[in-house]
Amino acid sequence: MKKYVVLYRIESVMSPCEAPFGFICHADDADHAEEQCVNAYPDCGVVWIAEGDDYRAALDNYYELEN
C-alpha cells in the first residue's frame, strides 16, 4: 500500500474560494484512495489525488495544474 492525499470539497459547508480539504490514507491505488475518502465523507466531491502524504505539495500541484 502507498500513502495518498485526496483533496476534496463539501459544497454545502465551503465557499468556492476556500482550499479543498485533504484526506490522507493508505491505499492500493488512487481509485482505492478516492473510495476511502468518499466512504468517510459521503457528501464530498473529490477534486485531486496525489501520491504521498504531503497535503501542501498536493495542494500546490492541484493549483498549478488548475491554471
Side-chain angles (χ1 to χ4, degrees):
M1 290 194 159
K2 299 177 184 176
K3 285 188 178 180
Y4 287 89
V5 177
V6 181
L7 300 181
Y8 67 96
R9 304 183 64 71
I10 300 176
E11 298 302 328
S12 63
V13 298
M14 299 178 78
S15 123
C17 298
E18 288 181 87
F21 295 121
F23 176 82
I24 298 173
C25 64
H26 284 91
D28 296 325
D29 56 26
D31 289 337
H32 185 214
E34 180 174 358
E35 180 183 339
Q36 289 185 53
C37 183
V38 171
N39 286 339
Y41 302 100
D43 294 335
C44 79
V46 172
V47 296
W48 190 256
I49 302 170
E51 194 172 316
D53 63 356
D54 188 336
Y55 169 73
R56 174 53 62 189
L59 201 58
D60 288 346
N61 193 250
Y62 167 70
Y63 282 121
E64 181 179 299
L65 294 176
E66 186 181 66
N67 291 324

